């Protein structure tokens, strides 16, 4: 991962603007799931490392815009770029990272450049879906799954496809792996929002619901509640939740075993991911799925 960070830093330095270097240095580099995935499939070489750096730039850009849209002032326990430098600078930094990523991506062949750039188009559509769905409580599991596929899974799917292309594996098999891994990854993120404390998450607990995100736990909870409690749950949507309101949500999630149900959905997607590439006997790909599902943040 240090090699990837060095490539990214050099890409930013090539733009020759010191304030940009300063802002970029304040971005938390995160887990690099996409890079780890690509290197496990394609192995480490100059091309795969550079592609990892490009994908990390693009992913970072999407998070910068996401934090502005959600008015989030923390990212993984640290102040977000919009909190430090303001929304305008965060948006422009995101634009610069996207543009630099695309410039470097243009040096790759058509399959890779087209798959990654198309994924970013779909990712942006996913952002619009997310904002639109935040206007009112969403009861539809299918709408939720489509949104998280676009917003989170498409870039992971494209990464896996590009890894397969570089490694000369069957692209469809790895596309299924990446898609299912991405959906499982987001469901786990949404579960952790309601099960972990603020210190572990690096952001307020139950923050998704306050931001207008009806994630899978809330959809399943709504299905189990009586009419009176359904109305009460909806009344809490996009609110700063008091302690007793948070307790009510958590008590009912426990009462109806909602977290276990959501976790089983994530595990099913994870198993589908593993099964799609099982014949290649790449043990690390199975480990990526298991560690992603078993994580606490």
């Amino acid at each position: 991962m240090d090699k990837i960070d060095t490539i990214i830093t050099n890409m930013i330095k090539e733009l020759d603007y010191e304030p940009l270097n300063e802002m970029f240095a304040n971005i938390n580099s995160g887990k690099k799931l996409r890079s780890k995935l690509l290197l496990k499939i394609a192995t480490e070489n100059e091309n795969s490392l550079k592609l990892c750096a490009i994908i990390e730039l693009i992913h970072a850009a999407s998070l910068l815009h996401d934090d502005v849209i959600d008015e989030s002032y923390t990212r993984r326990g640290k102040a977000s770029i919009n909190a430090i430098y303001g929304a305008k600078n965060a948006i422009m930094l995101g634009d610069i990272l996207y543009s630099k990523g695309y410039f470097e991506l243009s040096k790759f062949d058509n399959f890779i450049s087209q798959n990654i750039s198309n994924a970013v188009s779909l990712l942006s559509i996913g952002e619009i879906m997310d904002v639109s769905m935040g206007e009112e409580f969403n009861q539809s599991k299918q709408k939720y799954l489509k949104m998280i596929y676009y917003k989170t899974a498409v870039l992971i799917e494209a990464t896996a496809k590009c890894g397969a292309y570089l490694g000369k594996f069957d692209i469809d098999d790895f596309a299924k792996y990446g898609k299912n891994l991405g959906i499982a990854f987001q469901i786990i993120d949404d579960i952790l929002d309601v099960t972990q404390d603020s210190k572990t998450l690096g952001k307020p607990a139950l923050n998704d619901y306050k931001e207008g995100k009806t994630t899978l736990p809330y959809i399943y909870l709504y299905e189990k509640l009586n009419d009176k409690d359904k109305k009460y749950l909806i009344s809490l949507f996009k609110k700063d939740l008091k302690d007793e309101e948070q307790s009510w949500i958590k008590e009912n999630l426990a009462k109806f075993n909602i977290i276990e149900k959501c976790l089983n959905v994530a595990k099913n997607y994870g198993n589908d991911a593993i099964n799609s590439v099982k014949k290649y006997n790449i043990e690390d790909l199975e480990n990526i799925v298991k560690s992603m599902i078993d994580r606490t943040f």
Side-chain angles (χ1 to χ4, degrees):
M1 297 301 107
D2 290 342
K3 291 179 183 178
I4 295 167
D5 284 336
T6 299
I7 295 169
I8 294 171
T9 300
N10 289 336
M11 285 180 178
I12 299 302
K13 285 180 178 178
E14 286 171 3
L15 296 170
D16 194 25
Y17 185 59
E18 185 54 40
L20 175 61
N21 297 334
E22 180 191 332
M23 282 194 288
F24 186 79
N26 279 284
I27 294 178
N28 190 323
S29 62
K31 303 180 184 73
K32 289 191 174 64
L33 169 66
R34 293 149 195 83
S35 291
K36 291 172 183 174
L37 173 59
L38 181 65
L39 295 180
K40 295 301 182 187
I41 300 170
T43 69
E44 183 181 320
N45 55 60
E46 184 179 350
N47 267 349
S48 61
L49 286 170
K50 188 170 183 181
L51 185 55
C52 285
I54 292 167
I55 291 169
E56 294 300 336
L57 274 181
I58 288 171
H59 178 56
S62 73
L63 295 181
L64 287 167
H65 288 179
D66 196 32
D67 285 343
V68 172
I69 291 166
D70 292 340
E71 297 181 351
S72 295
Y73 298 108
T74 59
R75 167 65 62 180
R76 303 187 186 101
K78 292 175 60 178
S80 60
I81 295 298
N82 49 304
I84 300 170
Y85 298 103
K88 292 179 182 178
N89 280 315
I91 290 169
M92 293 310 301
L93 178 58
D95 290 347
I96 291 167
L97 300 190
Y98 271 134
S99 301
K100 181 61 173 171
Y102 286 137
F103 173 75
E104 298 296 339
L105 193 58
S106 70
K107 301 174 185 178
F108 282 80
D109 67 19
N110 286 343
F111 179 88
I112 289 175
S113 60
Q114 288 175 7
N115 270 278
I116 297 297
S117 58
N118 183 62
V120 179
S121 296
L122 297 179
L123 185 158
S124 300
I125 292 171
E127 285 281 10
I128 295 174
M129 288 179 179
D130 195 20
V131 171
S132 175
M133 288 167 62
E135 293 176 3
E136 60 184 19
F137 187 95
N138 168 54
Q139 302 175 28
S140 170
K141 178 183 172 183
Q142 292 310 311
K143 282 184 179 179
Y144 162 80
L145 289 173
K146 184 175 182 179
M147 184 272 291
I148 66 170
Y149 167 53
Y150 275 45
K151 187 177 175 182
T152 301
V154 287
L155 188 55
I156 298 174
E157 178 184 37
T159 300
K161 287 170 70 176
C162 290
Y165 179 79
L166 292 174
K168 296 180 170 49
F169 296 122
D170 185 278
I171 290 164
D172 288 341
D173 289 341
F174 283 84
K176 290 174 186 173
Y177 175 88
K179 178 179 180 178
N180 286 303
L181 172 65
I183 292 173
F185 179 88
Q186 187 58 56
I187 291 173
I188 293 296
D189 253 17
D190 295 342
I191 290 171
L192 294 176
D193 181 77
V194 297
T195 59
Q196 299 298 316
D197 58 31
S198 300
K199 184 177 179 181
T200 303
L201 292 170
K203 64 177 183 177
L206 278 75
N207 196 54
D208 285 347
Y209 204 50
K210 175 189 170 184
E211 289 183 351
K213 301 178 190 297
T214 317
T215 56
L216 193 60
Y218 298 102
I219 294 171
Y220 279 152
L221 178 58
Y222 180 84
E223 292 174 354
K224 291 291 186 180
L225 295 173
N226 60 40
D227 289 344
K228 178 183 175 183
D229 287 341
K230 282 180 178 178
K231 289 178 181 177
Y232 181 63
L233 179 63
I234 291 174
S235 76
L236 302 180
F237 186 60
K238 298 179 79 169
K239 273 187 62 178
D240 277 316
L241 298 175
K242 299 174 183 176
D243 289 344
E244 60 267 26
E245 292 168 337
Q246 289 196 24
S247 295
W248 182 88
I249 289 174
K250 290 184 175 182
E251 285 167 8
N252 279 280
L253 289 170
K255 177 181 176 182
F256 296 107
N257 295 316
I258 300 300
I259 299 306
E260 183 180 355
K261 185 175 182 180
C262 293
L263 188 57
N264 285 335
V265 173
K267 286 179 177 178
N268 287 337
Y269 278 105
N271 287 333
D272 287 344
I274 291 169
N275 290 333
S276 67
V277 295
K278 207 169 189 67
K279 63 185 179 184
Y280 298 98
N281 295 316
I282 306 175
E283 185 179 353
D284 286 335
L285 294 182
E286 185 171 343
N287 292 337
I288 285 175
V289 173
K290 290 179 177 177
S291 64
M292 179 275 301
I293 288 176
D294 293 338
R295 65 196 166 94
T296 56
F297 66 93

